[in-house]
């Protein structure tokens, strides 16, 4: 059953009642006041984006400066605390010719390329009892495996609706949402639809419910479900285990699984897909080595959240989802090798490097319906491709520029036989500077 507004309010009341019954009132009882606990923060983000589509897809080159201003109030004192969250976002184009601009999502399109400037604002009211919070507004930013608006451009994506979070018991976090409108990262319109990103089909409502629980200090599980009205029902589970071998060594196993089926009017067609991944990592000092395997079982790709036509967000927790492609084609399987180096143990805290290589094969869309929104795969079978991603990042650790970060990212994607995608190269430079005003 979809989690509508009525069901969400019932859940909120039930959670609040349980909070009172178990006596877990520390969160609200420690409130110092609406203004006293308030915070005003500014994030300045500069981003350059260069995408070479190798004549198979459009080239994209954009450079801009963004500012994210956020005010988070405290809560009024008493059993029931009230507060507000306010936000304002602004983007300025530094470079972006008409030929290459308006496509990457870094800047805001204006119909002829990208706008020189664009801005938006949002607000939410919130109430808290104990460790349970309920928010309503148009600047909500949940982030979970089935609904995760991206903050990967100059402006973050936001949603309008109700969002409930609760941490009444040690180790358990639960949340629920009833979302009714979207604002994409390249848009100032806060009343857009949500989308099945690959299918390009929109819906006005997304409901989700789930949470995470720490079974032990080393083992966590996660369970989520979502209903994208008239598109799909999606279920997710995760198991994450970390085992310390010594003070400087550990191993980690991470398993993710999604199950997706069409629902209602089935705007994206028939969907019956299972997608899963397994990652195994070994860490020693500042080095991490990881191997991954990912598989899609189904005649349509594993699809996930979009918040505007042609954009892709972060609701894909599969291990081989990458900068350029997700290795999520129909019946596709892929292997990956990852390496990360944290230079802190070697006297350079804040500096890190990473590299990964992923190869996918076995894409088979030959059994897909010819009228499916995913028919752009054609009747391809045995498709192969690979991606290599490189990254370097440095965060200033002290002094007047503490928190300033510089991040360089480069990705290469190459196609093999029977390809439904394109070869491409992409380079990004992201510079961020957070200001804690008060």
């Amino acid at each position: 059953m979809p989690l509508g507004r009525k069901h969400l309010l019932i859940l909120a009341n039930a959670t609040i009642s349980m909070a009172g019954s178990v006596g877990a009132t520390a969160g609200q009882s420690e409130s110092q006041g609406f203004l006293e606990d308030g915070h005003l923060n500014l994030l300045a983000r500069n981003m350059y984006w260069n995408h070479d589509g190798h004549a198979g897809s459009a080239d994209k080159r954009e450079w801009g400066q963004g500012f994210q201003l956020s005010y988070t109030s405290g809560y009024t004192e008493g059993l029931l605390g009230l507060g507000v969250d306010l936000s304002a976002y602004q983007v300025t184009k530094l470079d972006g010719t008409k030929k290459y601009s308006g496509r990457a999502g870094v800047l805001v399109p204006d119909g002829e390329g990208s706008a020189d400037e664009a801005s938006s604002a949002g607000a939410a009211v919130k109430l808290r009892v104990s460790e349970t919070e309920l928010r309503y507004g148009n600047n909500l930013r949940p982030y979970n495996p089935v609904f995760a608006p991206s903050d990967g451009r100059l402006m973050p994506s936001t949603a309008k609706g109700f969002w409930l979070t609760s941490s009444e018991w040690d180790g358990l976090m639960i949340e629920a949402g009833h979302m009714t409108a979207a604002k994409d990262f390249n848009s100032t319109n806060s009343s857009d639809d949500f989308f099945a990103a690959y299918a390009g089909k929109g819906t006005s409502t997304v409901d989700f419910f789930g949470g995470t629980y720490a079974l032990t200090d080393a083992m966590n599980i996660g369970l989520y479900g979502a209903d994208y009205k008239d598109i799909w029902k999606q279920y997710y589970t995760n198991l994450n285990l970390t085992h310390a071998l010594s003070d400087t060594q550990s191993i980690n196993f991470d398993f993710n699984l999604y199950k997706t089926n069409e629902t209602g009017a089935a705007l994206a067609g028939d969907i019956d897909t299972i997608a899963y991944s397994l990652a195994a990592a070994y860490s020693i000092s500042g080095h991490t080595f990881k191997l991954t395997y990912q598989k899609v079982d189904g005649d349509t790709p594993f699809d996930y959240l979009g918040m505007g036509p042609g954009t892709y967000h972060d609701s894909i927790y599969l291990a081989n989802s990458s900068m350029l492609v997700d290795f999520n084609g129909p019946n596709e399987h892929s292997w990956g090798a990852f390496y990360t180096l944290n230079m802190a143990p070697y006297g350079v805290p804040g500096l890190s490097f990473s590299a990964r290589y992923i190869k996918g094969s076995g894409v088979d869309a030959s059994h897909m319906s010819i009228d499916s929104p995913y028919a752009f795969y054609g009747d391809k079978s045995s498709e192969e491709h690979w991606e290599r991603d490189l990254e370097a990042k440095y965060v200033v650790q002290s002094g007047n520029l503490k928190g300033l970060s510089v991040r360089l990212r480069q990705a290469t994607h190459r196609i093999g036989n029977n390809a439904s995608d394109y070869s491409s190269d992409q380079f990004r430079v992201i510079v961020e500077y957070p200001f804690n005003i008060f």
Side-chain angles (χ1 to χ4, degrees):
M1 177 182 295
L3 180 65
R5 177 177 175 179
K6 177 181 177 182
H7 302 89
L8 185 58
L9 293 178
I10 291 173
L11 178 60
N13 290 331
T15 306
I16 290 170
S17 299
M18 288 188 291
S21 67
V22 298
T25 59
Q28 178 56 19
S29 66
E30 294 176 354
S31 174
Q32 300 300 306
F34 183 92
L35 296 176
E36 289 80 359
D37 286 337
H39 298 281
L40 181 64
N41 297 291
L42 176 66
L43 176 65
R45 177 180 293 163
N46 187 286
M47 178 176 289
Y48 173 73
W49 187 294
N50 188 319
H51 180 93
D52 182 352
H54 288 263
S57 60
D59 292 341
K60 307 169 187 178
R61 299 173 193 170
E62 296 182 346
W63 181 27
Q65 175 66 52
F67 295 96
Q68 301 182 23
L69 183 66
S70 301
Y71 174 71
T72 304
S73 80
Y75 288 90
T76 57
E77 296 181 271
L79 177 64
L80 178 66
L82 302 176
V84 298
D85 293 335
L86 307 174
S87 60
Y89 310 119
Q90 194 272 341
V91 173
T92 298
K93 178 169 69 174
L94 300 178
D95 187 35
T97 62
K98 182 177 179 180
K99 181 179 179 181
Y100 300 114
S101 189
R103 301 167 177 168
V106 175
L107 306 174
V108 177
D110 64 358
E112 297 182 355
S114 54
D116 291 337
E117 292 187 338
S119 60
S120 65
V125 294
K126 57 187 180 181
L127 61 87
R128 180 173 71 179
V129 175
S130 183
E131 296 290 348
T132 298
E133 296 175 305
L134 178 64
R135 290 175 169 84
Y136 172 76
N138 67 348
N139 65 344
L140 303 182
R141 294 168 61 181
Y143 200 90
N144 60 60
V146 292
F147 189 85
S150 174
D151 187 17
R153 306 294 196 276
L154 294 178
M155 286 195 297
S157 300
T158 57
K160 177 182 179 181
F162 291 90
W163 182 26
L164 176 75
T165 59
S166 183
S167 301
E168 297 295 340
W169 295 273
D170 289 343
L172 175 66
M173 187 285 294
I174 60 174
E175 60 175 323
H178 174 66
M179 302 298 161
T180 58
K183 187 197 77 67
D184 212 346
F185 48 64
N186 62 348
S187 174
T188 59
N189 182 6
S190 59
S191 58
D192 287 334
D193 279 346
F194 304 100
F195 281 78
Y198 280 79
K201 299 297 183 179
T203 179
S204 61
T205 306
V206 174
D207 299 318
F208 64 83
F209 174 72
T212 59
Y213 180 63
L215 294 170
T216 68
D217 290 341
M219 182 182 296
N220 297 277
I221 61 171
L223 295 170
Y224 276 88
D227 185 291
Y228 285 54
K229 183 180 178 181
D230 288 327
I231 298 181
W232 65 55
K233 290 183 183 291
Q234 192 170 81
Y235 305 95
Y236 167 86
T237 186
N238 167 258
L239 177 64
N240 187 282
L241 172 65
T242 300
H243 177 67
L245 301 175
S246 69
D247 291 342
T248 60
Q249 298 182 69
S250 66
I251 54 174
N252 173 267
F253 298 96
D254 187 55
F255 175 73
N256 297 277
L257 183 145
Y258 288 89
K259 178 72 169 74
T260 310
N261 291 95
E262 80 277 0
T263 188
L267 298 178
D270 295 336
I271 301 174
D272 184 8
T273 299
I274 294 176
Y276 60 91
S277 67
L278 177 64
Y282 169 66
S283 298
I284 178 170
S285 297
H287 305 271
T288 298
F289 306 88
K290 182 166 67 173
L291 296 176
T292 60
Y293 176 73
Q294 180 173 306
K295 181 71 171 71
V296 177
D297 285 326
D299 294 326
T300 56
F302 171 76
D303 206 348
Y304 55 92
L305 174 68
M307 297 181 72
T311 66
Y312 301 83
H313 289 259
D314 295 346
S315 310
I316 176 169
Y317 280 28
L318 298 175
N320 288 343
S321 175
S322 304
M323 269 184 66
L324 298 179
V325 294
D326 293 313
F327 297 91
N328 59 336
N331 299 295
E332 181 171 11
H333 57 89
S334 56
W335 293 90
F338 294 58
Y339 172 69
T340 301
L341 173 60
N342 180 351
M343 292 295 292
Y346 304 99
V348 193
L351 180 63
S352 62
F353 303 93
S354 65
R356 60 183 172 183
Y357 176 86
I358 302 169
K359 182 176 177 60
S361 59
V363 176
D364 184 357
S366 60
H367 300 290
M368 185 188 300
S369 172
I370 59 173
D371 60 353
S372 169
Y374 304 106
F376 56 84
Y377 278 94
D379 59 355
K380 308 296 182 183
S381 62
S382 302
E383 177 180 336
E384 297 180 357
H385 58 142
W386 60 264
E387 179 171 333
R388 181 191 64 237
D389 297 346
L390 303 172
E391 180 175 316
K393 183 177 181 180
Y394 179 67
V395 182
V396 178
Q397 301 294 295
S398 60
N400 294 333
L401 296 179
K402 182 178 180 180
L404 174 70
S405 66
V406 180
R407 188 180 185 190
L408 308 178
R409 305 186 72 189
Q410 193 279 331
T412 296
H413 177 235
R414 293 293 182 267
I415 57 175
N417 61 302
N418 298 317
S420 60
D421 211 325
Y422 306 99
S423 293
S424 57
D425 292 282
Q426 191 174 109
F427 180 64
R428 307 179 194 177
V429 182
I430 306 112
V431 181
E432 291 185 344
Y433 192 18
F435 297 87
N436 182 10
I437 301 174
F438 64 78

